[in-house]
């Protein structure tokens, strides 16, 4: 079958390891299902996989892609949940110490077929197209958990999203606007801020700009480059919910500010299968649609990877078949 895969880890030149070509069709273990992939979306996790982060060298070659949507053998339309738990795990999917994501141990979605545990194939709402549904499992689920499970915000309060145009950011903006929060966003360029406004931001600001007032919560995926601004932007007792650190993981902690203002820092990773199902129902009820920045045929995946590597994103990058 045709697939886009990483042939080997390459920390310095990740795109040199990207291959579009033939791979064996997957076998279907007991309790798993085959999904015929109609669309799959690109995440930063795929670039980390190309660099060899979070994956053992003996796992290569690895078909890339955490997210996807498609059909089962019987034609049922499904959205994929990317977190694969250890057999017998009970409780929050994201707290399983032996959990993996697709592409860490199991082959990913950038292929004609992918196999997943049966519980990881979640019914797709009719109101979402396959490309739209393919953005749900990582970026949108991450945003949903950050906002509704971790932050503790109430409608009417103010949230700040650091970074205007990535997949998680645009999902946070759309979800926050629909839920009744005042949504502020920072972005590095007028174009990125315009993207944020188009998906629902009430106000946008240049990165690092002084805000009109402090906010109740900040949503962080950028890390080192924005962390100081994040802490300075919070009200006393406010919370920062962090799910990524694309600019680096090691900013100054600014502990004096944290303890004196009683700030809270909450980590958030992906979400559970039930949260994905709830989110899909929520989007269906609200009529919310994800912003797709670029849609490409799978055979042209290198173009999408290069755009993400260069930071030229305006919503999710989706590959279709």
């Amino acid at each position: 079958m045709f697939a886009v895969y990483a042939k080997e880890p390459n920390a310095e030149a990740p795109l040199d390891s990207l291959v579009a070509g033939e791979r064996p069709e997957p076998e279907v273990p007991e309790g798993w299902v085959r999904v015929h992939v109609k669309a799959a979306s690109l995440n930063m996790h795929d670039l980390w996989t190309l660099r060899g982060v979070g994956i053992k060298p003996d796992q290569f070659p690895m078909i890339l892609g955490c997210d996807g949507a498609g059909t089962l053998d019987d034609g049922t339309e499904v959205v994929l949940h990317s977190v694969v738990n250890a057999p017998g795990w009970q409780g929050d999917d994201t707290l399983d110490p032996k959990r993996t994501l697709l592409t860490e141990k199991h082959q990913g979605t950038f292929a004609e077929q992918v196999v997943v545990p049966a519980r990881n194939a979640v019914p797709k709402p009719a109101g979402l197209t396959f490309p739209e549904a393919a953005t749900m499992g990582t970026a949108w689920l991450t945003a949903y958990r950050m906002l509704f499970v971790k932050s503790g915000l109430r409608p009417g309060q103010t949230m700040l999203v650091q970074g205007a145009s990535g997949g998680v950011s645009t999902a946070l903006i759309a979800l926050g606007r629909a839920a009744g929060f005042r949504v502020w966003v920072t972005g590095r360029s007028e174009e990125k801020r315009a993207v944020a406004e188009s998906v629902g931001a009430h106000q946008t600001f240049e990165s690092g700009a002084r805000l009109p007032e402090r906010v109740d919560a900040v949503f962080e995926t950028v890390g080192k480059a924005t962390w100081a601004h994040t802490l300075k932007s919070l009200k006393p007792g406010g919370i920062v919910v962090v799910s990524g650190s694309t600019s680096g993981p090691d900013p100054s902690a600014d502990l004096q500010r944290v303890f004196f203002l009683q700030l809270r820092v909450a980590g958030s990773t992906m979400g559970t299968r039930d949260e994905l199902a709830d989110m899909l129902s929520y989007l269906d009820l609200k009529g919310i649609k994800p912003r797709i920045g670029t849609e490409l045929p799978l055979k042209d995946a290198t173009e999408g990877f290069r755009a993400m590597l260069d930071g030229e994103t305006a919503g999710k990058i989706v590959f279709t078949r």
Side-chain angles (χ1 to χ4, degrees), residues 157 159 173 176-178 180-185 196-197 199-205:
Q157 292 187 307
M159 57 182 277
I173 295 163
R177 178 73 182 234
F181 305 126
R182 182 166 58 165
V183 183
W184 290 354
V185 182
E197 291 171 3
V199 294
H202 291 94
Q203 283 185 265
T204 60
F205 307 90

Side-chain angles (χ1 to χ4, degrees), residues 223-307:
K224 190 172 184 176
T226 55
W227 190 255
H229 182 255
T230 285
L231 296 186
K232 291 175 182 177
S233 299
L234 281 170
K235 292 178 179 178
I239 186 170
V240 50
V241 185
V242 56
S243 69
S245 54
T246 55
S247 67
D250 55 348
S252 168
D254 200 358
L255 291 178
Q256 286 183 313
R257 184 181 298 274
V258 170
F259 71 72
F260 188 73
L261 296 180
Q262 300 184 72
L263 305 180
R264 293 165 292 147
V265 177
S268 189
T269 297
M270 295 291 290
T272 69
R273 189 263 185 209
D274 289 345
E275 289 164 5
L276 176 58
D278 289 344
M279 180 186 70
L280 292 172
S281 295
Y282 179 68
L283 298 188
D284 205 30
L285 287 167
K286 287 284 191 178
I288 300 172
K289 300 283 189 176
R291 180 187 175 96
I292 296 175
T294 304
E295 190 173 319
L296 296 166
L298 184 60
K299 64 181 179 63
D300 295 333
T302 301
E303 182 180 336
F305 272 85
R306 185 168 292 110

Side-chain angles (χ1 to χ4, degrees), residues 26-270:
E27 297 181 1
V28 186
E30 184 177 353
W32 292 49
V33 293
R34 183 196 325 274
V35 177
H36 302 272
V37 180
K38 299 294 186 183
S41 65
L42 182 63
N43 292 287
M44 282 298 298
H45 186 82
D46 298 305
L47 282 174
W48 291 119
T49 301
L50 282 167
R51 291 186 171 108
V53 178
I55 179 173
K56 296 178 180 179
D58 62 4
Q59 296 293 134
F60 290 87
M62 174 60 71
I63 297 173
L64 298 168
C66 303
D67 287 344
T71 58
L72 303 181
D73 287 339
D74 65 3
T76 301
E77 297 183 351
V78 296
V79 181
L80 297 179
H81 177 45
S82 306
V83 180
V84 179
N85 291 110
W89 170 257
Q90 300 290 319
D92 187 323
D93 301 350
T94 68
L95 299 180
D96 175 6
K98 295 184 178 179
R99 74 185 186 279
T100 64
L101 293 182
L102 293 177
T103 73
E104 292 177 347
K105 180 180 177 182
H106 305 290
Q107 301 292 319
T109 60
F110 292 172
E112 295 177 47
Q113 301 175 17
V114 64
V115 296
V116 297
R119 74 182 296 270
N120 287 60
V122 180
K124 180 182 82 66
L128 289 178
T129 66
F130 282 111
E132 289 168 346
T135 70
M136 295 288 111
T138 297
W140 276 73
L141 180 57
T142 296
Y144 182 89
R145 184 177 176 91
M146 292 174 79
L147 193 57
F148 297 120
V149 179
K150 292 288 188 173
S151 77
L153 281 182
R154 300 186 304 276
Q157 292 187 307
T158 302
M159 57 182 277
L160 173 67
V161 179
Q162 293 281 25
S165 64
V168 175
S169 295
T170 53
L172 281 164
I173 295 163
L175 290 169
R177 178 73 182 234
F181 305 126
R182 182 166 58 165
V183 183
W184 290 354
V185 182
T186 65
R188 290 179 296 166
S189 67
E190 288 186 14
E191 292 78 13
K192 291 181 183 293
R193 295 192 292 275
V195 168
E197 291 171 3
S198 74
V199 294
H202 291 94
Q203 283 185 265
T204 60
F205 307 90
E206 293 182 6
S207 297
R210 185 181 180 90
L211 304 179
E213 60 185 71
R214 291 182 177 180
V215 301
D216 298 284
V218 182
F219 295 88
E220 258 288 359
T221 60
V222 180
K224 190 172 184 176
T226 55
W227 190 255
H229 182 255
T230 285
L231 296 186
K232 291 175 182 177
S233 299
L234 281 170
K235 292 178 179 178
I239 186 170
V240 50
V241 185
V242 56
S243 69
S245 54
T246 55
S247 67
D250 55 348
S252 168
D254 200 358
L255 291 178
Q256 286 183 313
R257 184 181 298 274
V258 170
F259 71 72
F260 188 73
L261 296 180
Q262 300 184 72
L263 305 180
R264 293 165 292 147
V265 177
S268 189
T269 297
M270 295 291 290

